[in-house]
Amino acid sequence: MTNPLANRIALVTGASRGIGFATARALAKAGAHIVAVARTQGGLEELDDEIRKDGGSATLVPLNLTDSDGIARLGAGLHERYGKLDILVGNAGVLGPSSPVGHIELKAFNDVMAVNVSANFQLIRCMEPLLKQSDAGRAVFITSGAANKATAYVSPYAASKAALETLVRAWAQETANTPLRVNLFNPGPIRTRMRATLMPGEDPATLETPEQVAEFIVPMCAPGWTETGKFYDYKTRTLMSFRSPA
């Protein structure tokens, strides 16, 4: 089948650049209609141009994900227009400050948690009923190795990804007996603006691209994907189960 995601509705956050942009485009190439969410109108319009060139279609939603009421309105709008949601890719995230823990202002910490954790919590709340209306709802959230490594000097980001992982794993357990499949994806070091901000001296040519990553996210969004509550590590190309500490 040339369009394995034909007639499926896919919501992608952080879709204006990087992994979100590439994933939205790849899902559209596979036949899905994309609901692209990002703060940057210009980036969304660039995505729309690329999707149209590929013969696909998209709905652009300029939205700051800290607007929880806006997420709720988006859910209501999707219900009214489509009555379902087949795919949710929770990609949007912010790096936040790079400093020792004791030097970070409370507001800066809260700003990271608002985007990386609370916004995804609200997405789950508002999109779960729509995903359950799909015959094969699929949700993939982008995480980071920083969650488990507790990486120094990016503590808000690391803490937020650890919280996101726990939230998503709990949701996966709650929905394990439904057709909905919920998983995490760790891309590792990729040629993105966030990576360049964190590692300004790094040669981007040594890193893989968002387009390469997206090709591995798409299968996790397909009806044929059966795993749930798992963690895909892109660097090692391994689907992992979580284990309790020894």
Side-chain angles (χ1 to χ4, degrees), residues 49-74:
D49 289 343
E50 295 302 318
I51 288 176
R52 288 176 183 273
K53 286 178 188 176
D54 296 333
S57 63
T59 299
L60 308 183
V61 184
L63 177 67
N64 189 325
L65 289 175
T66 60
D67 179 1
S68 57
D69 290 339
I71 294 175
R73 289 193 297 271
L74 175 58

Side-chain angles (χ1 to χ4, degrees), residues 11-83:
L11 170 61
V12 182
T13 68
S16 62
R17 63 175 182 258
I19 292 172
F21 187 105
T23 300
R25 189 176 178 191
L27 289 169
K29 284 183 179 178
H33 175 78
I34 306 302
V35 180
V37 179
R39 291 178 298 174
T40 311
Q41 177 75 33
L44 288 174
E45 290 174 355
E46 290 176 17
L47 172 65
D48 189 49
D49 289 343
E50 295 302 318
I51 288 176
R52 288 176 183 273
K53 286 178 188 176
D54 296 333
S57 63
T59 299
L60 308 183
V61 184
L63 177 67
N64 189 325
L65 289 175
T66 60
D67 179 1
S68 57
D69 290 339
I71 294 175
R73 289 193 297 271
L74 175 58
L78 292 173
H79 173 72
E80 183 176 345
R81 185 167 182 180
Y82 302 111

Side-chain angles (χ1 to χ4, degrees), residues 13-17 38-40 63-66 90-98 107-120 142-144 146-147 153-162 164 192-195 197-198:
T13 68
S16 62
R17 63 175 182 258
R39 291 178 298 174
T40 311
L63 177 67
N64 189 325
L65 289 175
T66 60
N91 164 76
V94 295
L95 178 62
S98 298
K107 182 182 184 304
F109 179 86
N110 287 339
D111 287 346
V112 173
M113 299 301 284
V115 176
N116 295 0
V117 184
S118 299
N120 284 307
I142 308 303
T143 185
S144 167
Y153 305 113
V154 288
S155 57
Y157 181 75
S160 71
K161 289 300 186 180
L164 174 66
T192 63
R193 185 183 300 181
M194 181 184 290
R195 180 70 183 184
T197 300
L198 180 64

Side-chain angles (χ1 to χ4, degrees), residues 11 13 65 71 88 119-128:
L11 170 61
T13 68
L65 289 175
I71 294 175
L88 170 61
N120 284 307
F121 167 73
Q122 180 71 343
L123 276 169
I124 291 170
R125 288 185 65 248
C126 296
M127 303 304 159
E128 181 184 57

Side-chain angles (χ1 to χ4, degrees), residues 133-196:
Q133 289 300 311
S134 172
D135 60 343
R138 300 289 179 262
V140 179
F141 290 84
I142 308 303
T143 185
S144 167
N148 294 303
K149 294 176 184 175
T151 306
Y153 305 113
V154 288
S155 57
Y157 181 75
S160 71
K161 289 300 186 180
L164 174 66
E165 286 188 5
T166 301
L167 177 68
V168 171
R169 290 170 60 197
W171 186 36
Q173 290 194 62
E174 293 167 3
T175 57
N177 294 324
T178 76
L180 177 57
R181 307 286 86 182
V182 176
N183 293 281
L184 291 149
F185 186 99
N186 175 27
I190 299 296
R191 198 183 308 170
T192 63
R193 185 183 300 181
M194 181 184 290
R195 180 70 183 184

